[in-house]
Amino acid sequence: MDQQTYLKKLSCALHWRLPGSEAEDVLSDYQAIFSQRPAEADDRIIRDLGEPLQAARLLTEPDLYRRWLAAFGLMSFCLALPEFLLLRARFYGYPAGMMFLLLAAGTAAALMWFGIHRREREIRPLPKGLCPMLAGLLVVLAAAALILAGLAAEIWKELPPALYGIAAYWTMSLAGTAAAVLGFFGLVKARISDRRWRALYITGLTVLAECVLVTAALVSMDLDAASSGWWVSYAGIMGGIGFIGLAGAGVSLC
């Protein structure tokens, strides 16, 4: 293991287990140790310092780390429950209230936790890769809106209802799962790298919630009994979810 690899692994371990400012201070100390020695002594220094994870574990404050794990568990749960509902595709009533609650809880937790513990010392460019991932999630969000619009326009009169339903269901299932994975990735990156990755977590959670709501509408609708304005309430609910999520993501990028 060379110096660069060691410091990279150490940075991830420190940022995962310590508050951001403390992790940066410790990492600076380790970088100073390497800079004060000749490059050919790297192997001996690394052996003396020990494995990165072990070094980070020794510096961990148990109470603070448990608080982080509790926050991480809450934010992960806000992703896991909608994903379970999406894959299960069986609903006892329309889960709008649950999605609002999970989105609000996940967004509030991400904004409060990373806003308090990961303050940036200077304005920096957005992390590489964040914008393309956010753009991809916004495309999925638009796809969910189009599926609902297709139902509102009674597209099943032009296409076989079973075909449209199956295509829409699998689109939402795959898109929602991708959103959950990206959201979890953003959550981890927000902890170990840059707090602005929380925007990916919040956007992923938003898209996942929208996919759950569209899927719930698909599996519970009676097309023959649907009234002409049935879609208005669905559109209002999805619009509210989208507004909360995108507003939270926008704040996260600041």
Side-chain angles (χ1 to χ4, degrees):
M1 186 187 309
D2 59 16
Q3 176 188 154
Q4 185 176 3
T5 303
Y6 182 88
L7 290 176
K8 184 177 181 180
K9 291 183 177 181
L10 179 64
S11 176
C12 291
L14 289 173
H15 282 99
W16 181 256
R17 301 185 71 92
L18 301 178
S21 58
E22 293 183 22
E24 291 294 337
D25 292 341
V26 173
L27 187 60
S28 296
D29 293 339
Y30 274 76
Q31 290 171 336
I33 293 174
F34 280 101
S35 65
Q36 293 169 2
R37 306 289 180 86
E40 54 270 16
D42 284 354
D43 290 341
R44 182 169 56 81
I45 296 173
I46 290 172
R47 286 196 302 269
D48 292 341
L49 293 176
E51 290 295 322
L53 183 58
Q54 180 183 3
R57 187 181 294 115
L58 292 174
L59 295 167
T60 300
E61 298 181 39
D63 290 341
L64 289 178
Y65 187 52
R66 281 193 289 267
R67 287 169 56 191
W68 156 242
L69 290 180
F72 178 73
L74 171 62
M75 290 183 278
S76 298
F77 176 78
C78 291
L79 284 171
L81 183 56
E83 177 64 13
F84 171 76
L85 293 175
L86 180 65
L87 296 179
R88 186 169 178 263
R90 293 177 63 185
F91 304 93
Y92 301 100
Y94 195 59
M98 181 186 297
M99 293 302 104
F100 269 112
L101 180 61
L102 291 173
L103 177 61
T107 299
L111 292 176
M112 292 175 63
W113 180 269
F114 295 112
I116 293 173
H117 294 283
R118 296 300 307 276
R119 295 186 186 278
E120 300 292 337
R121 297 178 180 178
E122 59 183 6
I123 298 176
R124 297 183 295 173
L126 289 176
K128 184 178 180 180
L130 176 57
C131 288
M133 292 183 187
L134 288 174
L137 287 175
L138 292 178
V139 170
V140 175
L141 192 62
L146 286 175
I147 289 175
L148 184 64
L151 290 174
E154 300 183 348
I155 197 172
W156 63 82
K157 293 182 178 179
E158 305 296 332
L159 297 174
L163 176 62
Y164 183 79
I166 292 173
Y169 167 74
W170 280 108
T171 299
M172 290 296 92
S173 295
L174 294 175
T177 299
V181 171
L182 287 177
F184 186 78
F185 175 77
L187 177 58
V188 173
K189 289 286 286 184
R191 176 66 176 183
I192 67 175
S193 177
D194 188 315
R195 69 185 177 94
R196 291 171 293 180
W197 279 100
R198 63 187 173 174
L200 185 65
Y201 165 76
I202 294 173
T203 306
L205 179 56
T206 302
V207 172
L208 177 58
E210 299 279 27
C211 290
V212 170
L213 294 178
V214 171
T215 302
L218 285 169
V219 301
S220 62
M221 276 188 61
D222 183 351
L223 298 179
D224 295 328
S227 60
S228 58
W230 65 266
W231 57 271
V232 175
S233 61
Y234 287 90
I237 292 170
M238 292 183 63
I241 290 280
F243 176 79
I244 293 173
L246 294 180
V251 172
S252 296
L253 293 173
C254 298

